[in-house]
Amino acid sequence: MTIELPVAPQVVDDLISRLPRSSFINGHFIDGEPHMHVVNPATGEDLLTMSAADPRTSGDAALTAACTAGPAWAESTPRRRSETLRRAYELCHERADDLALTMTLEMGKPLAESYGEVTYGAEFLRWFAEGATRTMGNYYPTPEGNIQVVTIKRPVGPCLLVTPWNFPLAMATRKVAPALAAGCTTILKPAEATPLASLLFVRVLEEVGVPKGVVNIVPTSSTPAMTGPMIQDSRLRKLSFTGSTQVGRALLRLL
């Protein structure tokens, strides 16, 4: 069966030639072994072969990078974090053609729906850009009435973010944006079938000035081997997961 896209073949070829195809750790795309295949679900053929994150080393390296970058990012001003996310929102719209076509190629949704996801996903960046400057604490008296209690919210620390295959951009922005707005650093583990939109997204974040180590991406075909040690590492402070109940229960058993 022949699948025809409403774009010229050379546009597809040009995009594929420009796509990142390796993990992103501490501000660098890391080439090497092992390899994983990204398949075009419309044809069943390989879209490209990429360097996957190595479960033996990449998870620890990404968590170390997130921990190292954490204090400086946590101490950055809410205004800086807000404006960085706002620029990322704008750049996602500027790169809508690349982001939408990438999602169609790697996960198979119609191109019009992929453009819709770019809009939907970018809105999380704008929403949390606006929320970054409005992190409220609290102020109240103790029951005795003689002491005033002040509470201030602080970043929790490095966050592991696990996203599903069906909304590869929107689920990444939905998890990364609030973490960055709050001053947390992140390790994003995209679905094995759809890592490319997340890698394009981290390129956007890199271009708008997110410091190295604040966002790391570890695509892998060995998810339990990658996420298990990180979840059990005391340096990790939060896990956000969207996916099946079965995988969620497996992750909970590691906590």
Side-chain angles (χ1 to χ4, degrees):
M1 179 174 63
T2 300
I3 305 295
E4 294 186 1
L5 288 168
V7 293
Q10 57 266 33
V11 173
V12 175
D13 293 340
D14 174 66
L15 173 62
I16 292 174
S17 71
R18 293 185 286 108
L19 288 173
R21 50 187 74 195
S22 64
S23 53
F24 184 81
I25 299 173
N26 201 29
H28 303 284
F29 288 100
I30 310 297
D31 293 323
E33 301 286 348
H35 290 147
M36 59 186 278
H37 300 277
V38 180
V39 175
N40 183 336
T43 64
E45 299 175 353
D46 280 0
L47 189 63
L48 55 82
T49 301
M50 61 177 291
S51 298
D54 188 339
R56 297 169 299 177
T57 58
S58 298
D60 181 72
L63 183 53
T64 298
C67 290
T68 301
W73 184 246
E75 292 172 7
S76 64
T77 65
R79 177 59 64 195
R80 178 194 174 185
R81 300 197 297 267
S82 174
E83 292 178 351
T84 299
L85 288 170
R86 177 71 191 202
R87 290 196 298 271
Y89 159 79
E90 293 166 351
L91 191 53
C92 278
H93 280 289
E94 292 175 21
R95 303 283 169 81
D97 290 344
D98 282 358
L99 288 165
L101 183 54
T102 296
M103 285 188 282
T104 291
L105 291 172
E106 70 174 340
M107 70 80 56
K109 68 175 60 179
L111 190 58
E113 292 191 17
S114 292
Y115 275 105
E117 183 172 341
V118 174
T119 301
Y120 171 50
E123 279 301 313
F124 290 112
L125 298 168
R126 179 160 68 167
W127 176 271
F128 288 105
E130 294 167 351
T133 58
R134 296 175 176 84
T135 302
M136 303 299 180
N138 207 344
Y139 180 78
Y140 55 92
T142 62
E144 296 79 8
N146 61 338
I147 298 175
Q148 298 295 324
V149 177
V150 177
T151 60
I152 300 173
K153 295 180 181 178
R154 300 291 190 188
V156 296
C159 306
L160 174 60
L161 314 174
V162 182
T163 56
W165 65 275
N166 53 341
F167 287 90
L169 177 65
M171 292 299 99
T173 58
R174 186 177 187 175
K175 294 179 186 294
V176 170
L180 298 192
C184 297
T185 55
T186 61
I187 304 104
L188 175 63
K189 208 297 293 180
E192 177 184 354
T194 55
L196 302 177
S198 292
L199 291 169
L200 272 186
F201 173 49
V202 80
R203 184 175 279 174
V204 166
L205 296 177
E206 184 182 29
E207 289 187 31
V208 300
V210 174
K212 67 178 183 178
V214 171
V215 178
N216 306 275
I217 300 191
V218 285
T220 181
S221 55
S222 304
T223 296
M226 175 67 69
T227 59
M230 277 194 284
I231 291 171
Q232 295 178 316
D233 192 314
S234 61
R235 295 177 297 170
L236 188 76
R237 304 305 300 155
K238 185 170 283 292
L239 168 66
S240 175
F241 163 75
T242 301
S244 70
T245 301
Q246 179 181 2
V247 175
R249 286 172 175 164
L251 292 174
L252 281 172
R253 285 194 290 268
L254 297 172
L255 296 176

